[in-house]
Amino acid sequence: MVQYQTVDMTLAALADPTRRGILERLGRGGEASVSELAEPVGISLTGMKKHLRVLEEAGLVRTEKVGRTRRCRLEPKGLDGLAAWMDSYRAMLEERFDRLEELLERTKGDTS
Amino acid sequence: MVQYQTVDMTLAALADPTRRGILERLGRGGEASVSELAEPVGISLTGMKKHLRVLEEAGLVRTEKVGRTRRCRLEPKGLDGLAAWMDSYRAMLEERFDRLEELLERTKGDTS
């Protein structure tokens, strides 16, 4: 259940364009403070802190207090659980289509 | 913005282990009726219909009324938007690490 819970949190954290924007911003620019993240998108510091907390709890972002500012950066392993689920889901789909294709080929053989 | 909205809906639909379970069940077993999906996991028909509606609106499942039953099956293209976002996000991360590695190599060169 632990793994499922993590995938749940990753998915819920990502299901918000503002939070995906934060990840993209941190990916492009590296570290940033809370206000550096908040200002260009016109979000209050309190609002940005809430988004960062969700991303941090989902393991997608790491934050660290340096003096009076909180520095934020990506946690690169954060998507691993979700990626693993998607890989196994897609593998299952492919297997399914291979079976359907096989069936179709066999049916074609019958009618020709 | 349309693409973002779709990814939002995909992510929100997937952020629930019951709904991911439905997808896995449909992937393994092909088509199923609402009650065939509901029974083994001990969910009411009304509850299952709600989950299916979320999955259908997110483009992950297709349902079709056949006589008195509603047949459900996977919509295989449903994950494409999310997969595209994840691919571009991971490509960005990799590029970033390549840059960091380069920097590290250069720094090593300076001290040796």
Side-chain angles (χ1 to χ4, degrees), chain A residues 24 27 79, chain B residues 3-4 81-95:
Chain A
E24 284 159 12
L79 280 188
Chain B
Q3 204 197 332
Y4 260 122
L82 175 58
W85 180 80
M86 278 183 74
D87 285 348
S88 73
Y89 183 73
R90 296 179 112 192
M92 183 195 65
L93 282 186
E94 268 166 45
E95 200 189 309

Side-chain angles (χ1 to χ4, degrees), chain B residues 46-107:
Chain B
T46 314
M48 183 50 76
K49 278 180 195 161
K50 267 188 207 166
H51 282 307
L52 286 167
R53 194 153 45 234
V54 176
L55 288 168
E56 202 171 9
E57 280 169 6
L60 291 161
V61 159
R62 224 184 303 178
T63 77
E64 193 191 358
K65 195 106 185 178
V66 180
R68 292 186 62 184
T69 58
R70 181 169 290 279
R71 307 297 302 170
C72 313
R73 59 194 154 123
L74 286 184
E75 179 59 69
K77 296 269 167 216
L79 280 188
D80 286 2
L82 175 58
W85 180 80
M86 278 183 74
D87 285 348
S88 73
Y89 183 73
R90 296 179 112 192
M92 183 195 65
L93 282 186
E94 268 166 45
E95 200 189 309
R96 205 174 147 56
F97 285 118
D98 287 347
R99 283 208 305 273
L100 281 173
E101 211 165 12
E102 222 178 271
L103 193 71
L104 208 70
E105 281 300 316
R106 239 182 292 155
T107 318

Side-chain angles (χ1 to χ4, degrees), chain B residues 19-39:
Chain B
R19 287 197 289 266
R20 289 200 303 279
I22 296 168
L23 296 179
E24 284 158 12
R25 159 76 179 76
L26 288 174
R28 277 196 310 274
E31 272 198 11
S33 69
V34 179
S35 58
E36 279 164 357
L37 290 170
E39 217 172 274

Side-chain angles (χ1 to χ4, degrees), chain A residues 25 31-41 45 48 70-71:
Chain A
R25 161 73 179 77
E31 274 197 12
S33 69
V34 179
S35 57
E36 279 164 354
L37 290 170
E39 218 171 274
V41 285
L45 285 181
M48 184 49 76
R70 182 168 289 281
R71 306 298 301 171

